[in-house]
Amino acid sequence: MEKSMIDKSINELFNSIENSNVYKRYKEIENILSKDSEVLNLINEIKELEKKATKLEHAGNKEYKDIDKIIKDKLNILNNKPIYIEYLNRMNELNAELAASSKMIEDYLKEKV
């Protein structure tokens, strides 16, 4: 297969994914989530606390355990937000679809090579 034919096939694959209902549903919930400041703040707080806990743990400072408890509490709040639950569900659907596509490509290449 020549390069332009491969490029065309890859572009068709990406277009197919972008036009799939699973991808559109994911992008829709991602857009809604991006406007939810409460959820976004929680996510950012958790990320910052994780960085801090990692640095403390790496330095041998036991205070990371206290921060881990705070992270656990904030994750619990986040994981009970309906919009975040829906986001995770749609993200998992998309990942499953991408994994299936990847497996099909891998199987096809194994068969041809």
Side-chain angles (χ1 to χ4, degrees):
M1 223 191 274
E2 65 182 64
K3 187 173 180 354
S4 64
M5 190 171 182
I6 292 172
D7 289 343
K8 183 180 177 190
S9 296
I10 290 172
N11 285 334
E12 287 174 7
L13 175 61
F14 286 140
N15 286 334
S16 176
I17 291 168
E18 288 176 349
N19 290 316
S20 72
N21 286 333
V22 172
Y23 182 77
K24 287 177 183 176
R25 286 172 32 88
Y26 169 75
K27 291 305 285 183
E28 174 186 290
I29 198 71
E30 183 183 54
N31 186 42
I32 293 169
L33 187 69
S34 73
K35 295 174 184 165
D36 190 319
S37 60
E38 183 180 356
V39 171
L40 292 178
N41 287 338
L42 264 173
I43 292 169
N44 290 329
E45 286 175 32
I46 291 166
K47 286 179 182 179
E48 289 302 314
L49 287 168
E50 287 172 335
K51 287 179 195 174
K52 185 175 180 179
T54 301
K55 286 178 184 176
L56 288 171
E57 184 177 13
H58 185 70
N61 187 331
K62 300 286 185 199
E63 287 180 39
Y64 79 89
K65 291 180 181 182
D66 295 331
I67 294 173
D68 282 347
K69 289 176 187 172
I70 296 168
I71 292 169
K72 185 178 177 185
D73 291 341
K74 288 187 181 289
L75 277 172
N76 206 15
I77 294 167
L78 181 62
N79 288 325
N80 283 301
K81 299 277 182 194
I83 189 72
Y84 189 71
I85 294 168
E86 184 64 22
Y87 168 77
L88 292 177
N89 288 337
R90 291 186 190 185
M91 183 176 63
N92 288 334
E93 286 176 25
L94 178 60
N95 286 336
E97 183 128 333
L98 293 173
S101 297
S102 178
K103 176 79 170 109
M104 285 175 26
I105 292 168
E106 182 182 328
D107 291 347
Y108 175 79
L109 290 174
K110 282 181 183 177
E111 181 182 305
K112 295 296 180 183
V113 174

